[in-house]
Amino acid sequence: MNRLIGKIYLLQEFARKAFYKLFREPFIKAALRSCGENVHIAEQCNFKGIGNISIGNGSSIGQGSVLWTTRANIVIEDKVFTGPNVTIITGNHRTNLIGKYMADVSDSEKEASDDEDVIIKKDVWIGANAVILKGVTIEEGCVIAAGAVVTKNTLPYGIYGGVPASRIAERFPEDDLAKHIQWAEKTAG
């Protein structure tokens, strides 16, 4: 009996994934501001402001990720991949308006600094449950550790972790980094 239930489960999973891949994912990609080739957006992702989100070639967004924006943009360049449940948010609530509860402040009452672009450059890996907040640029080649909260810009090829995230290691020793950059330039051209 358990084998039969197992086979039914596998068949159900196959059908669900096929439906998502054939019908749901293409609509999500079409709704983005731009979407490169060979992009994968896993199931159960949550997009707000989808028309302000761009995803580059060969990038992959992990299952259950949240990408929310209002007036700002989320730009994800080529060869970026994320683990599950990554959160990227470009906005903040206005908290300094006298005579109004924060929940009652309308979008038109927000200040320009309440919404800022998030840019994730190429060749970045963002671990599970990481959070990227407004105004952050993650530079090329970075690794963001699982559970990190990134509140400030990164430098290229660093490994960042913690709350708030800070540089905890280098991705390559200096000699190897030069070789990797040289390889990347040849491959891009």
Side-chain angles (χ1 to χ4, degrees), residues 94-109:
R94 185 165 177 195
T95 60
N96 64 349
L97 197 57
I98 297 171
K100 273 203 166 181
Y101 293 110
M102 291 180 285
D104 294 335
V105 175
S106 69
D107 191 54
S108 63
E109 294 173 301

Side-chain angles (χ1 to χ4, degrees), residues 12-22 43:
Q12 177 193 12
E13 282 296 293
F14 175 79
R16 182 183 54 76
K17 288 179 180 183
F19 178 83
Y20 177 81
K21 194 75 176 160
L22 293 172
E43 297 176 75

Side-chain angles (χ1 to χ4, degrees), residues 54-56 59 61 67 73-82 86-89 117-126 131-133 136-142 144 150 154:
S54 301
I55 302 176
S59 291
I61 307 301
L67 282 72
N73 296 302
I74 296 173
V75 178
I76 298 170
E77 294 185 358
D78 297 345
K79 301 289 186 180
V80 171
F81 62 110
T82 77
V86 166
T87 299
I88 302 171
I89 298 179
D117 294 349
V118 169
I119 300 168
I120 302 170
K121 302 222 175 159
K122 68 181 178 179
D123 189 30
V124 168
W125 171 26
I126 302 172
V131 177
I132 315 298
L133 296 178
V136 166
T137 296
I138 297 177
E139 291 292 340
E140 181 175 339
C142 283
I144 307 300
V150 185
T154 67

Side-chain angles (χ1 to χ4, degrees), residues 36-51:
E37 295 180 14
N38 300 316
V39 168
H40 175 64
I41 299 168
E43 297 176 75
Q44 300 171 342
C45 288
N46 183 335
F47 294 94
K48 178 180 178 184
I50 197 165

Side-chain angles (χ1 to χ4, degrees), residues 18-32 35:
F19 178 83
Y20 177 81
K21 194 75 176 160
L22 293 172
F23 296 105
R24 179 108 169 96
E25 188 179 28
F27 285 104
I28 294 169
K29 290 178 181 181
L32 294 166
C35 183

